[in-house]
Amino acid sequence: MAANEDIAVRYRIDPKQSRFVVQAEASGLLSFVGHNPVIAICGFGGDASFIHGTFAQASLLMLVQANSLAVVGEASEKDRPEIERAMREDVLEIARYPEIVYMSTSVQTTRIAEGRYQSRIGGSLSLHGVTRQQNVDAELSINGGNLLRARGEFSLRQSDYNIRQFSAVGGTLKVKDDLRFSFDIGAEKQG
C-alpha cells in the first residue's frame, strides 16, 4: 500500500449541492387547520474526513447557523413571517444560541456496493445550550473520489434540548415534540 493511501482525505460540505430540512407536525385542537411546517436549513457547513476504502479515522463536523432556518412548502405567505419569527426568537432563541454543532465521536461503515456505503455516525449534538448524543444513519456515495454524498434521516425530541414547543392560538395549535430531519448533503474533496 502506498504511503499516501493511509492519509485521511478531507471533504468540505457544500450547501449549494445539498438539501437539509426539518419536518414538524401540528397537534392540538386546531391542528386540522394548522400547517405541518417544513423548515429548510440554509446556513450550514463543515468537514468530513476519512481514509478512502477503509473509512478509518473518519470524522464529521457540521455547523448550522440557527438564524438560517426558513419555512418552505405549504405555509401561507401571510403565516410564514410570524412562524419564522417565533421559531427564531421564541423557540430557538437565536440571540442566546446562534450556532448548532454536530461533532462525530464514532463512525461505523459497511460497504454495500462499489462506491456506496451504509454508515452509522455517533456524535454529540449541541443545540439550544444542551449537548446530547445523537446517532445519524446515512448512505454514503463517493463519485470518482471527488464528491461525497450523504443521504438519510434522523429524529429528535425538542424537549431533550430544553426547547419550548411552538404554539399559537392560545395553545390550541402547536407543534409536536418529535421533529424529523432529512438530508442529502454534498461535499467536495479538498486539496
Side-chain angles (χ1 to χ4, degrees):
M1 184 183 298
N4 63 355
E5 290 178 359
D6 289 335
I7 297 172
V9 177
R10 190 170 66 105
Y11 289 80
R12 171 141 307 141
I13 294 172
D14 184 356
K16 293 178 184 172
Q17 296 186 50
S18 304
R19 182 186 59 78
F20 193 11
V21 297
V22 182
Q23 175 70 60
E25 193 174 331
S27 69
L29 294 175
L30 296 178
S31 63
F32 67 94
V33 296
H35 306 290
N36 289 327
V38 176
I39 300 159
I41 301 169
C42 303
F44 62 92
D47 294 302
S49 67
F50 56 89
I51 295 175
H52 274 275
T54 67
F55 282 89
Q57 300 176 23
S59 68
L60 170 66
L61 172 63
M62 189 162 185
L63 308 169
V64 174
Q65 298 306 311
N67 68 352
S68 75
L69 279 63
V71 176
V72 295
E74 298 178 10
S76 72
E77 289 303 315
K78 177 179 81 84
D79 295 340
R80 191 179 316 260
E82 176 54 24
I83 294 170
E84 288 179 350
R85 185 213 58 77
M87 174 180 60
R88 291 178 182 144
E89 294 175 17
D90 303 335
V91 177
L92 291 174
E93 300 179 88
I94 63 170
R96 289 179 65 194
Y97 310 108
E99 194 168 59
I100 301 163
V101 179
Y102 183 80
M103 184 177 296
S104 67
T105 55
S106 67
V107 179
Q108 300 171 351
T109 305
T110 304
R111 183 175 182 259
I112 54 177
E114 183 64 36
R116 290 181 45 221
Y117 305 84
Q118 188 61 44
S119 182
R120 167 151 283 198
I121 304 165
S124 59
L125 175 63
S126 297
L127 168 64
H128 198 252
V130 176
T131 300
R132 294 180 56 98
Q133 182 68 24
Q134 177 70 49
N135 291 329
V136 177
D137 292 324
E139 182 175 313
L140 307 176
S141 60
I142 302 172
N143 183 358
N146 293 319
L147 181 63
L148 172 67
R149 289 215 79 78
R151 295 177 181 92
E153 295 184 353
F154 65 95
S155 297
L156 65 79
R157 286 190 306 271
Q158 296 175 80
S159 58
D160 287 344
Y161 293 90
N162 297 330
I163 295 174
R164 189 180 71 200
Q165 291 174 255
F166 173 80
S167 67
V169 194
T172 58
L173 176 63
K174 44 184 138 176
V175 172
K176 290 184 178 178
D177 193 21
D178 291 327
L179 299 175
R180 189 176 71 240
F181 294 74
S182 62
F183 57 90
D184 181 352
I185 305 289
E188 292 187 351
K189 183 177 176 182
Q190 300 297 294

